[in-house]
């Protein structure tokens, strides 16, 4: 079946066209809408978005693979991104990852069998001075310790937002 944006996304996209007259500038919001509609940005979805905006599919793929909040692979309902860049690695992001792996019974890059949680390595999350940095569903958790992992998993399993986050790196909790 041919892909099509939901009515809501179509409306949002049409509204944004006047705000972002250059199709290249519209690419990120269009990919976010597509991800929301289709779950992840498969090659077929990238082709669809690229055709919509009349940009090369390679441009859409370049953007989709650059930003860690755009997913080209299937993922769980919640995504735990752990920074592995040097400052966070030195601050202990490896220990955080190991604890999550142990609690969830999966390895980095995998999703729990119930589809609830995906664990991913990412590069710098822009919290280098307060590592290890973890991002859970677009929220930032700085100076994260392995002892916090259990509470995060329990909160996500209960359908709650794990406490202690900021909306932006270095922001107010
Ligand atoms: S190195 Fe981890 S946030 Fe920058």
């Amino acid at each position: 079946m041919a892909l099509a944006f939901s009515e809501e996304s179509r409306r949002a996209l049409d509204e944004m066209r006047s705000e972002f007259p250059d199709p290249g500038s519209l690419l990120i919001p269009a990919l976010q809408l597509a991800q929301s509609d289709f779950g992840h940005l498969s090659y077929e979805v990238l082709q669809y978005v690229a055709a919509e905006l009349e940009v090369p599919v390679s441009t859409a793929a370049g953007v989709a693979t650059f930003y860690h909040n755009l997913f080209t692979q299937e993922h769980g309902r919640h995504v735990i991104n752990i920074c592995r860049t040097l400052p966070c690695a030195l601050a202990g992001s490896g220990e955080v990852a190991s604890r999550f792996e142990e609690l969830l019974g999966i390895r980095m890059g995998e999703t729990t069998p119930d589809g609830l949680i995906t664990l991913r390595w990412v590069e710098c999350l822009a919290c280098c001075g307060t590592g290890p940095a973890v991002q859970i569903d677009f929220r930032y958790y700085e100076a994260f310790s392995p002892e916090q992992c259990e509470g995060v998993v329990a909160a996500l399993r209960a359908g709650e937002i794990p406490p202690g986050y900021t909306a932006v790196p270095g922001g107010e909790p």
Side-chain angles (χ1 to χ4, degrees):
M1 196 173 74
L3 293 175
F5 277 120
S6 65
E7 274 180 39
E8 194 181 329
S9 293
R10 165 65 59 200
R11 203 174 313 119
L13 191 61
D14 289 344
E15 279 173 18
M16 281 188 287
R17 281 184 201 273
S18 57
E19 229 179 296
F20 301 96
D22 173 3
S25 305
L26 191 54
L27 197 44
I28 292 177
L31 288 170
Q32 288 173 319
L33 290 171
Q35 182 166 281
S36 158
D37 281 354
F38 307 117
H40 71 285
L41 303 170
S42 64
Y43 186 68
E44 189 187 13
V45 173
L46 291 174
Q47 284 179 306
Y48 172 69
V49 173
E52 274 286 325
L53 301 186
E54 298 181 8
V55 299
V57 68
S58 57
T59 303
V63 170
T65 53
F66 181 79
Y67 291 101
H68 57 251
N69 284 329
L70 295 174
F71 301 99
T72 54
Q73 307 283 328
E74 285 189 56
H75 58 88
R77 187 159 157 227
H78 302 288
V79 178
I80 299 177
N81 289 323
I82 304 172
C83 174
R84 66 177 169 192
T85 305
L86 189 60
C88 282
L90 292 174
S93 61
E95 286 80 0
V96 171
S98 297
R99 182 65 181 134
F100 273 127
E101 287 181 326
E102 186 183 18
L103 286 166
L104 296 171
I106 57 172
R107 306 301 303 270
M108 294 301 291
E110 294 180 349
T111 299
T112 52
D114 60 2
L116 187 69
I117 299 172
T118 296
L119 282 179
R120 298 196 322 163
W121 286 121
V122 293
E123 302 305 332
C124 187
L125 289 168
C127 316
C128 322
T130 52
V134 171
Q135 189 188 39
I136 304 169
D137 300 336
F138 301 96
R139 298 179 181 87
Y140 292 86
Y141 298 79
E142 299 172 50
F144 196 91
S145 72
E147 290 70 35
Q148 290 173 260
C149 296
E150 202 167 339
V152 164
V153 170
L156 294 178
R157 284 187 173 143
E160 296 165 2
I161 297 172
Y165 65 88
T166 58
V168 294
E172 292 295 317

